[in-house]
Amino acid sequence: MPFKSQKRSPLRHTTRATLALTCTAVALGLAAGTASAQELTSKSFSADFSAMSKLKPLAAKGKGKGKIGVLLPETATSARYASFDEPYLKKAFAEAGMAESDVIITNAQGSESNELTQAQSAISQGATVLVMDPISSGVGASIEKYAREHGVKVIDYDRLTLGGGRDYYVSFDNVAVGKLIGQGMEECLAAWNVKDPDILVMRGAATDNNATLFAQGYMSVLKPKFADKLYKLAGEPAGTWDPSVARTTFEEQFTAHPDINAVVVPNDDNANAVVSYLKSLKVPPHVFPTTGQDATLTGMQNVLAGYQCGSVYKPIYLEAQAAAALAIYLRAGEHPPLGLVNGKTMDSNEKKEVPSVLLNPIWVTPKNMAATVVKDDFVPAAKLCAGDMANDCKAAGIGS
């Protein structure tokens, strides 16, 4: 039987061509999406989380490997982790297209053993990347050693693990935080007409590397003033993050040095302990400058009332997005863009610089409170302006 040539079906030809074009379009789309993800910088993030959508091609099923584990430290001394970090991290991952089942978020409730166990559990559940805020550098280093042994990448979140083996660090620029505190004190001394400033300089806990960086920042501003004898340094007592200890320390220092007329305090909770004692002595507002950090509700009320010069605001939604973005790059096996990893932080124990995403903090005073913490609903106006605070809020242009 002679061979008969068969005509190719026009329909089959069209179908194959369409499939080829579709595959090409998908490939181009993924390539474009990946390129878009590489355009992210440390300044890309905002309150609407819109930048996270650029990471969808990297978070897509089949692109990334494993889960992402998030280890938060506690809730006892700071409400931020439950009220802000956890929900913001969940939102950041969701906006990037990560399945809820691929993100494991735990809180150690202040227990180092819990944090280590939670890290091990996340890895056993398939986590290939950990985002960790270590309770201490000791447990942080143990977690990072365990992670390395299991081929898991680690991002230090908010607090650097000294002597650890993390891959990246995400935080606000903590030296810049300290500089804002120092500059805020300078401005306040002038605005409140404080004569012959005699300043007590307080610190956070010596075990917290952030406290060291904060102090480095504010002392870089104040040391020249002390050296030129424009200000007097009343003392630098041992640091703490415990407000009750901070109050006791201040009382002892003030008793020993009654000429103290200003105090550098590295966070709002400790500042409030100092302010409470000053109020008990009937010290009026706009007389005795204090500083702070974290933009807490009480801190903002003390700022409005004239007992605290200002507070450093660190929009946690920026930090959460930066950490989530970095984790998604690592999960996908991609190098994060240089515009995102914008700095380095020294691990003073390892004498090694850690690639870092460093975000910009904001100094909040009555002049910009409405446009920052109130606008972001970090501090609700209704709570801020309750009771006796109504007139102070009105003066600052804040409505309830």
Side-chain angles (χ1 to χ4, degrees):
M1 183 176 177
F3 175 77
K4 293 182 180 180
S5 64
Q6 294 181 348
K7 292 184 178 179
R8 186 176 293 173
S9 166
L11 179 60
R12 184 181 297 173
H13 178 73
T14 301
T15 302
R16 287 178 177 173
T18 301
L19 285 172
L21 287 171
T22 301
C23 290
T24 300
V26 170
L28 288 172
L30 287 173
T34 303
S36 178
Q38 287 297 323
E39 294 172 1
L40 277 183
T41 74
S42 62
K43 296 181 179 179
S44 296
F45 309 109
S46 60
D48 64 8
F49 286 69
S50 59
M52 297 306 296
S53 64
K54 294 182 179 181
L55 293 161
K56 286 184 177 179
L58 295 182
K61 187 176 181 180
K63 179 63 178 175
K65 176 187 174 184
K67 300 181 180 183
I68 295 172
V70 179
L71 308 172
L72 299 176
E74 50 95 16
T75 56
T77 65
S78 178
R80 63 167 281 184
Y81 297 107
S83 299
F84 300 103
D85 292 87
E86 182 171 347
Y88 284 151
L89 284 159
K90 285 181 177 178
K91 183 173 182 179
F93 285 120
E95 292 295 323
M98 288 283 294
E100 186 176 345
S101 59
D102 284 336
V103 180
I104 304 165
I105 300 180
T106 55
N107 192 303
Q109 299 299 336
S111 167
E112 293 187 4
S113 61
N114 279 354
E115 193 162 34
L116 177 57
T117 299
Q118 288 167 350
Q120 293 169 335
S121 176
I123 291 172
S124 70
Q125 293 176 65
T128 55
V129 180
L130 294 180
V131 177
M132 175 184 64
D133 189 337
I135 293 174
S136 71
S137 287
V139 71
S142 296
I143 290 169
E144 288 168 0
K145 181 176 182 292
Y146 185 87
R148 275 200 314 275
E149 292 169 350
H150 291 77
V152 174
K153 302 286 188 182
V154 180
I155 300 165
D156 276 351
Y157 176 71
D158 195 63
R159 186 181 290 117
L160 186 70
T161 298
L162 296 177
R166 90 304 296 153
D167 297 275
Y168 293 93
Y169 174 49
V170 175
S171 186
F172 285 85
D173 185 334
N174 290 315
V175 174
V177 168
K179 287 182 178 179
L180 288 177
I181 290 172
Q183 291 162 358
M185 174 57 74
E186 280 188 319
E187 294 166 3
C188 205
L189 289 167
W192 293 5
N193 296 312
V194 177
K195 306 293 184 183
D196 301 319
D198 195 341
I199 306 172
L200 180 69
V201 177
M202 302 184 76
R203 296 177 179 239
T207 55
D208 183 354
N209 188 59
N210 283 2
T212 300
L213 298 176
F214 300 149
Q216 180 183 329
Y218 50 72
M219 289 305 288
S220 72
V221 175
L222 298 174
K223 268 186 176 180
K225 302 287 187 178
F226 293 138
D228 292 342
K229 301 191 184 305
L230 296 173
Y231 302 161
K232 181 179 178 182
L233 176 59
E236 295 180 84
T240 181
W241 288 129
D242 185 325
S244 64
V245 175
R247 173 164 175 156
T248 299
T249 298
F250 178 73
E251 288 183 24
E252 291 172 349
Q253 291 290 319
F254 195 50
T255 300
H257 308 282
D259 291 335
I260 291 173
N261 55 12
V263 55
V264 172
V265 191
N267 77 340
D268 289 353
D269 288 346
N270 285 6
N272 186 56
V274 171
V275 168
S276 296
Y277 178 64
L278 292 174
K279 286 182 177 179
S280 74
L281 300 178
K282 308 300 182 185
V283 174
H286 301 107
V287 168
F288 195 113
T290 67
T291 58
Q293 176 188 181
D294 295 330
T296 65
L297 171 61
T298 303
M300 293 297 91
Q301 289 177 329
N302 283 334
V303 170
L304 288 175
Y307 286 98
Q308 187 173 320
C309 305
S311 179
V312 179
Y313 174 43
K314 300 178 292 186
I316 296 171
Y317 57 80
L318 300 180
E319 191 174 20
Q321 289 175 82
L326 192 53
I328 289 169
Y329 282 111
L330 298 183
R331 176 178 176 267
E334 297 277 348
H335 289 292
L338 294 176
L340 178 61
V341 183
N342 63 337
K344 294 180 179 180
T345 304
M346 178 60 70
D347 180 336
S348 57
N349 284 13
E350 291 287 311
K351 307 301 181 187
K352 179 180 178 181
E353 289 187 323
V354 181
S356 304
V357 181
L358 300 177
L359 304 162
N360 294 323
I362 302 166
W363 181 247
V364 177
T365 69
K367 291 181 180 179
N368 66 345
M369 196 178 296
T372 53
V373 294
V374 175
K375 180 183 177 183
D376 289 347
D377 202 31
F378 188 76
V379 175
K383 292 183 179 180
L384 178 66
C385 302
D388 294 341
M389 297 304 302
N391 288 336
D392 291 317
C393 278
K394 185 177 180 180
I398 300 169
S400 58

